[in-house]
Amino acid sequence: MKRSIGNTLRGSCKMKRESNVIIEQDSEGYFVATVPELRGCHTQAKSLDTLMKRVREAIELCRETMQVTSLKHSG
């Protein structure tokens, strides 16, 4: 099952970005979400509602981390 979700980043400039999210269900019944274009960005939950909240948070944190890392390398 694949879903695409929108993500609004917090800050002085709000932008809507879309990310491809791969959702799978493991053998124990957990839903696992992976964001292929953001290395290491994944989360899991027992329900899809909770998973969607968590994946939005994970995407935001991954993007923030990428921004901080790129600032460290550019300066």
Side-chain angles (χ1 to χ4, degrees):
M1 163 185 350
K2 292 185 182 182
R3 286 193 181 183
S4 179
I5 66 167
N7 185 37
T8 303
L9 300 176
R10 294 184 195 143
S12 59
C13 177
K14 288 196 175 191
M15 301 169 58
K16 185 161 181 138
R17 294 186 184 180
E18 290 189 2
S19 297
N20 291 316
V21 177
I22 298 171
I23 299 174
E24 300 173 303
Q25 192 169 20
D26 70 12
S27 61
E28 296 178 16
Y30 281 88
F31 292 99
V32 180
T34 305
V35 184
E37 67 260 21
L38 298 173
R39 184 174 170 225
C41 189
H42 49 84
T43 190
Q44 68 179 22
K46 269 289 197 186
S47 74
L48 281 174
D49 288 338
T50 302
L51 182 74
M52 296 311 290
K53 291 173 189 171
R54 288 182 180 174
V55 77
R56 283 183 179 94
E57 292 172 359
I59 289 169
E60 185 175 336
L61 290 171
C62 287
R63 287 192 173 140
E64 286 175 6
T65 301
M66 287 173 52
Q67 287 175 346
V68 169
T69 302
S70 68
L71 288 174
K72 284 182 181 179
H73 291 289
S74 66

